[in-house]
Amino acid sequence: MQKIIALFFVLLFPLFNPHPALAKSYTIDNAQIDIQINPDGTADVSETRTYTFNGHFENGEWLTNIEKNKIDINSVSLSEGGTEYKIGSEPAPGYYTVNEAGNELKVNWKYSADDETKKFTIKFRILDAISNYSDTAEFYWKF
């Protein structure tokens, strides 16, 4: 009988002594977008986002629609706090890849963040960014 009671407590103890959940989250505290319209009708874009991480994170992703938005895929670069990342698929912090996935341009990168704040900047060039009309010109872009 004592073995049955002991087994009962061993099996049910975890139900009465729950462990805290290991939750993690992040917020985007700031997004700054700078655009330089060039005389040749292109536009250079710099998007800087400030993230606050609670918990451990290591993968970043950025997407944009390229069906309507003509991005020069060779112009894409990524940095963290002023340190340039290298293009490549190495599974280590400091590397990023650029791929076309359907109608989207997809940038993935590796980093390491543990309960901290980081700034990531993506730069790229938009081709044919300006629409010219007889009486005006227009720059239209969805961020």
Side-chain angles (χ1 to χ4, degrees):
M1 183 67 170
Q2 286 180 342
K3 287 183 181 180
I4 294 174
I5 293 172
L7 182 62
F8 179 75
F9 279 111
V10 168
L11 294 175
L12 293 179
F13 182 74
L15 297 175
F16 297 110
N17 185 22
H19 294 284
L22 299 175
K24 64 181 195 173
S25 64
Y26 72 90
T27 58
I28 300 175
D29 303 320
N30 188 36
Q32 179 178 334
I33 301 170
D34 297 312
I35 303 164
Q36 171 69 43
I37 305 295
N38 301 312
D40 64 357
T42 63
D44 293 323
V45 180
S46 174
E47 295 188 27
T48 301
R49 290 185 173 85
T50 304
Y51 293 82
T52 297
F53 299 100
N54 293 311
H56 178 75
F57 289 84
E58 57 187 34
N59 295 302
E61 182 176 79
W62 177 86
L63 298 166
T64 191
N65 186 306
I66 57 172
E67 184 176 9
K68 296 179 183 177
N69 307 325
K70 300 169 189 163
I71 295 176
D72 177 5
I73 194 167
N74 296 316
S75 71
V76 178
S77 67
L78 175 77
S79 63
E80 175 190 335
T83 302
E84 291 291 325
Y85 275 41
K86 297 174 187 168
I87 195 153
S89 58
E90 287 78 359
Y95 289 91
Y96 73 100
T97 59
V98 180
N99 296 297
E100 291 183 40
N103 292 335
E104 294 181 316
L105 182 69
K106 185 176 180 181
V107 179
N108 292 91
W109 66 95
K110 296 294 280 184
Y111 62 92
S112 182
D114 290 288
D115 300 320
E116 61 187 296
T117 298
K118 290 184 174 273
K119 283 186 179 184
F120 296 102
T121 301
I122 294 179
K123 294 181 180 180
F124 56 94
R125 175 167 282 179
I126 304 168
L127 305 173
D128 299 323
I130 304 300
S131 298
N132 287 310
Y133 304 100
S134 62
D135 61 342
T136 189
E138 175 187 50
F139 173 74
Y140 180 75
W141 186 264
K142 290 183 178 183
F143 289 97

